[in-house]
Amino acid sequence: MAALVKQAREAQAAWGALTPYERIKAILPVRDRVLDRAERFANVVHREVGKPNVEVVLGEVLPTADVVTYWADSIEEMLDPQEIALDPLSYPGKKGALHREARGVVALITPWNYPVALPLRTLLPALLAGNAVLFKPSEISPRSGALVAELFEGLLPKGVLTLVQGGGEIGAALSSADVDLVVFTGSVATGRKVAHACAERLSPCALELGGKDAAIVLADANLDRAANGVVWGALTNAGQNCAAIERVYVEKAVAEAFSAKVVALVKSLRENIDVGPLATEAQRSIVVKHVDDAKNSGGKMLAGGEKGEKGYAFSPAVLSVENDDSALMRDETFGPVIPISIVDNAEQAIARANASRYGLTASIWSKKVKVAEKLAKQLRAGVVTINNHAFTGALPNAPWSGFGETGYGITNSALALDALTRPRFVLVDKNRAKRELWWYPYTPTLDVIAYAFCALRSKSTGIFRKIGAIFTLARAVPKRLMGG
Ligand code: NAD
């Protein structure tokens, strides 16, 4: 690993020294390459993780093209030095600017559930900002990872992007290597290990971890839209989505009608066309365990919930659940299950939605948009959508982040650059005076000036004392500048 990091570091020096425009020119072909290879991506991802081909094209290929366009259009301006305003009276002759420098060598460790879109939404801004990247895809989706790396073939100098294949031990080695930043997307348990490894080296990491998203359906919701949206939000990618709806809180007045619509929709879904199998047996056994646990705690099956014959199939399940005491309502399920729970009112729904270790996204379904917007402010979630769910991960200009154990990483939008670059403040001083007011020697005149500034700036100082301070400064500052 050390040799790969060394190679990346050497390559980064030259890559980071290019102008953003030169880097954009090098990387821009990725946009059409990903679109032109849509079918290949769809087939490979489908074979590796089982999702329907159309989900790969809609959820991974097309959004990636948007990601390239967004960063290519905006990175130059984002990296431009920004002037920092300085008070000319306190700091005469000085000009300061914030420069964003590439972080250096970035390790990118990703999961299998969106094996194309997820790595690319970090790879593109990381590379365009001038970093070198060591990219480790999940061992469950290595071919998809290889296709992602191939998008850059012939576009980058050797060492700027390195594909590192392997499992947990390789991820651990990368997190402990001499890199400048680890960007990690995956489970809370692994994220914690990565955070420990980075803390040992006092190196930053950006963590995007699990979720337990809630959807809140209010009595005045458009029930058809809410049912369609909740079913898609819970079952797309067979529920193996960090932002899958894993809890539904519905107001009593519409609970029966809403549940009936959800059940009818779920029963109409076609195996492998609308909902694929789970990606691994390990994932399926978690789902089975959660459903069993909910049933044992009083939950009632309303649809599905059976293991299928082929692959790791599991028929999409709907349950009515009365409380949040089971694993199904507490822990990340990552599978095609919709638990519906009845609440008395919006306040109760918000309280139950917020009572989670996670806090990725949440949705409110209501026709009263103003009321929903007010409620949105009370939700402990990095993304709140009103009358929709989860799709905003595909918007390159909208930040994606979370609360609590979902981690503190931010992807998409200019905010992602806070991790991928480091700030350098550069100050230029054109003041020709022999010395600054605050330099040596410390004299009684300097004492007088310091206290006069305090009196002048404090809001509690009376007007007469302020005028007195101005006169004091008018006398003392010139004296001080003359060496007094
Ligand atoms: P995982 O934690 O098992 O693995 C993720 C990656 O970490 C893989 O590449 C794996 O090889 C690597 N890894 C394993 N052990 C490691 C170690 N000790 N040190 C460093 N790396 C190691 O997660 P998964 O099952 O692949 O992915 C599913 C999880 O990802 C879910 O919890 C899901 O919610 C989360 N996720 C979050 C987001 C988000 O944006 N917040 C997006 C997608 C997925």
Side-chain angles (χ1 to χ4, degrees):
M1 196 59 72
L4 290 180
V5 175
K6 184 166 175 272
Q7 176 182 274
R9 197 167 290 294
E10 283 163 10
Q12 193 276 327
W15 177 248
L18 296 179
T19 63
Y21 179 68
E22 287 168 316
R23 290 194 293 264
I24 293 169
K25 255 188 12 195
I27 284 178
L28 205 53
V30 167
R31 185 182 175 279
D32 287 344
R33 283 186 181 182
V34 75
L35 293 170
D36 298 344
R37 297 174 195 179
E39 222 175 313
R40 234 168 101 206
F41 273 107
N43 290 332
V44 170
V45 175
H46 171 70
R47 274 207 304 277
E48 273 190 330
V49 298
K51 70 174 82 178
N53 289 38
V54 71
E55 280 189 2
V56 184
V57 180
L58 292 177
E60 308 221 43
V61 171
L62 285 166
T64 295
D66 291 346
V67 169
V68 182
T69 305
Y70 169 72
W71 287 107
D73 285 352
S74 47
I75 193 99
E76 273 183 289
E77 203 182 320
M78 289 179 191
L79 295 180
D80 260 354
Q82 285 167 22
E83 193 178 331
I84 303 282
L86 298 173
D87 171 15
L89 285 177
S90 302
Y91 304 107
K94 297 165 194 29
K95 225 174 161 180
L98 166 69
H99 297 246
R100 282 182 178 274
E101 307 293 340
R103 183 66 66 177
V105 177
V106 176
L108 173 63
I109 304 174
T110 54
W112 46 266
N113 64 331
Y114 287 90
V116 179
L118 279 181
L120 282 159
R121 71 186 195 178
T122 292
L123 269 176
L124 286 155
L127 292 169
L128 286 169
N131 295 288
V133 182
L134 294 150
F135 161 46
K136 193 202 92 57
S138 165
E139 63 277 30
I140 294 166
S141 54
R143 287 181 191 82
S144 307
L147 278 189
V148 166
E150 265 176 41
L151 288 172
F152 296 87
E153 215 165 68
L155 304 179
L156 303 172
K158 187 172 157 49
V160 170
L161 171 61
T162 310
L163 176 67
V164 189
Q165 296 277 19
E169 69 298 342
I170 297 292
L174 250 182
S175 319
S176 312
D178 178 29
V179 297
D180 301 296
L181 168 73
V182 179
V183 178
F184 174 82
T185 305
S187 63
V188 169
T190 314
R192 213 169 246 129
K193 291 183 193 163
V194 170
H196 278 146
C198 291
E200 278 300 323
R201 294 182 291 107
L202 293 178
S203 172
C205 60
L207 304 176
E208 302 253 12
L209 311 177
K212 190 78 197 164
D213 281 14
I216 295 174
V217 181
L218 298 181
D220 69 335
N222 171 340
L223 284 195
D224 284 316
R225 183 175 175 84
N228 277 306
V230 164
V231 169
W232 181 84
L235 302 183
T236 186
N237 203 15
Q240 300 163 117
N241 178 1
C242 50
I245 295 173
E246 297 210 352
R247 296 173 293 155
V248 182
Y249 297 113
V250 56
E251 268 192 296
K252 206 184 284 170
V254 293
E256 210 178 304
F258 172 77
S259 298
K261 283 180 194 290
V262 168
V263 168
L265 282 167
V266 167
K267 284 185 173 162
S268 74
L269 295 175
R270 297 152 303 169
E271 189 179 337
N272 284 330
I273 299 173
D274 299 312
V275 183
L278 291 160
T280 61
E281 181 55 44
Q283 198 51 56
R284 184 165 71 168
S285 41
I286 295 173
V287 176
V288 170
K289 213 170 110 210
H290 281 197
V291 169
D292 286 348
D293 186 41
K295 282 197 282 190
N296 293 337
S297 330
K300 285 192 202 77
M301 287 309 293
L302 303 179
E306 304 292 332
K307 277 192 190 184
E309 298 292 315
K310 264 174 57 191
Y312 308 121
F314 185 86
S315 58
V318 186
L319 284 91
S320 108
V321 176
E322 276 175 20
N323 55 52
D324 295 335
D325 295 338
S326 63
L328 183 69
M329 297 301 272
R330 269 194 328 261
D331 303 332
E332 187 177 43
T333 304
F334 225 52
V337 186
I338 310 179
I340 302 178
S341 206
I342 299 174
V343 289
D344 292 335
N345 50 41
E347 288 65 40
Q348 208 180 79
I350 299 272
R352 286 178 68 182
N354 284 347
S356 170
R357 317 198 293 282
Y358 301 103
L360 186 51
T361 99
S363 56
I364 301 174
W365 301 78
S366 165
K367 284 194 214 124
K368 292 185 186 142
V369 170
K370 286 266 173 280
V371 176
E373 277 179 306
K374 271 196 186 150
L375 292 172
K377 289 190 195 163
Q378 299 173 34
L379 278 166
R380 204 177 150 275
V383 176
V384 180
T385 41
I386 294 164
N387 297 320
N388 216 316
H389 198 95
F391 81 98
T392 69
L395 304 178
N397 48 352
W400 182 263
S401 63
F403 280 51
E405 291 191 15
T406 291
Y408 38 77
I410 305 177
T411 31
N412 292 338
S413 86
L415 296 178
L417 290 185
D418 289 351
L420 299 171
T421 61
R422 45 178 114 224
R424 178 183 285 128
F425 178 63
V426 178
L427 181 130
V428 177
D429 198 335
K430 292 190 175 163
N431 187 355
R432 294 198 175 173
K434 230 171 34 185
R435 62 168 71 93
E436 293 288 357
L437 209 65
W438 61 86
W439 289 356
Y440 294 129
Y442 297 159
T443 61
T445 310
L446 185 59
D447 281 3
V448 168
I449 291 172
Y451 290 116
F453 268 126
C454 291
L456 202 57
R457 289 191 189 173
S458 168
K459 288 205 166 49
S460 63
T461 309
I463 184 76
F464 293 115
R465 255 193 88 200
K466 276 202 196 297
I467 293 170
I470 292 171
F471 279 113
T472 305
L473 287 172
R475 267 195 321 273
V477 170
K479 189 172 166 197
R480 171 69 181 167
L481 293 177
M482 301 297 287

